[in-house]
Amino acid sequence: MIYRGAVTGYLDRLAELLREAHGLPPDHVAATVADLAAHLAQAGGADPQDAFGPVDAFARRLAPSGTSAADEHLETWRWLADTYVDEHLMNRFGDEGWEAERVDPLGRFVTHRDPERPRRWEYRRELITGGGERLGERLARDGWEPCGSWVVYAWFKREKAVGAGPAPAPPEPPPVPRRPTFPGRRRGYVLMGGAMALVAAVVVAASTGTAFGVGLAVGLLVGAPVTAWAVRARRR
């Protein structure tokens, strides 16, 4: 059993390291620690040492490379998106000056921007199917460099001036977005409705002995209104 004091001690030490050793802004540190606490709670009170590793090493992984107290003018933003919208959003935010550095242990894109001298970035996502080193070498010839990976995906970035000639910097970069998560809602709802229909088809066919097609029809009748309700609720 993991005691609350052990979790609190780990997170307090992590916050201290991020603020003092790596110079991250207090509000950013507080948001990061809150996300990690929620992640541990969802995991049923997992041991932070097992989930994240030694606190000193984890703090270095969470802090942008080379970040110090002298870099406090840099804006840092962590955000999450699924594979339906991630590449589109990365390029959209890259036009606003956000440079992706890596993907953190929670699967979020760690990005930063210099509000005084922003640069435009473009991104691409690749599926890692073996030979990841050869993929990186091939893309490097066109100026692409890795900026994170997660399970079977890898993301690459390059400054827009590399591929399309000089690109003017955003004259007045938009403020740091407050939204941390960008799900691909429409496709997600379609998949949810399809999954509900398939499950209902199997259950109906197995319990009544009817044909699978009949069960699928019943599943569609059930899944469609539930999916429509979820879409309306999400919009509200």
Side-chain angles (χ1 to χ4, degrees):
M1 178 178 180
I2 305 303
Y3 292 98
R4 180 183 297 273
V7 175
T8 302
Y10 184 97
L11 295 178
D12 287 346
R13 176 58 179 162
L14 178 65
E16 179 184 357
L17 289 170
L18 292 176
R19 286 193 307 267
E20 299 180 5
H22 298 285
L24 297 184
D27 57 343
H28 173 72
V29 172
T32 299
V33 170
D35 287 345
L36 295 173
H39 175 76
L40 292 173
Q42 291 174 357
D47 185 346
Q49 287 279 352
D50 294 338
F52 307 130
V55 65
D56 292 356
F58 188 51
R60 288 193 296 271
R61 290 166 59 192
L62 287 178
S65 300
T67 298
S68 66
D71 298 323
E72 287 187 355
H73 72 285
L74 292 179
E75 297 173 321
T76 302
W77 177 39
R78 284 175 168 82
W79 56 280
L80 182 68
D82 60 31
T83 52
Y84 296 124
V85 294
D86 62 334
E87 192 171 9
H88 166 74
L89 290 173
M90 291 181 79
N91 282 287
R92 168 184 157 189
F93 297 135
D95 268 338
E96 297 177 2
W98 291 102
E99 177 186 1
E101 179 185 314
R102 58 188 171 83
V103 176
D104 73 8
L106 299 182
R108 299 174 301 178
F109 297 105
V110 180
T111 60
H112 59 264
R113 177 178 68 181
D114 186 339
E116 299 174 0
R117 295 181 297 276
R119 296 183 294 172
R120 293 186 188 273
W121 297 88
E122 59 181 333
Y123 298 92
R124 63 187 295 172
R125 185 190 69 228
E126 297 289 341
L127 181 65
I128 305 174
T129 57
E133 294 182 358
R134 293 193 299 272
L135 172 65
E137 293 173 357
R138 176 172 58 83
L139 295 178
R141 291 195 291 267
D142 293 325
W144 295 98
E145 59 180 295
C147 60
S149 61
W150 183 256
V151 190
V152 297
Y153 294 107
W155 291 268
F156 295 82
K157 67 180 177 184
R158 70 179 178 185
E159 193 172 357
K160 275 208 164 181
V162 173
E172 294 184 5
V176 179
R178 294 184 178 181
R179 184 176 174 185
T181 306
F182 298 86
R185 292 188 296 240
R186 292 182 180 177
R187 295 184 184 181
Y189 290 136
V190 170
L191 290 175
M192 180 179 68
M196 292 180 62
L198 182 60
V199 171
V202 174
V203 172
V204 170
S207 61
T208 64
T210 57
F212 181 81
V214 176
L216 182 60
V218 174
L220 290 173
L221 291 175
V222 174
V226 173
T227 302
W229 172 84
V231 171
R232 289 196 298 271
R234 177 70 181 183
R235 286 175 177 172
R236 288 196 299 268

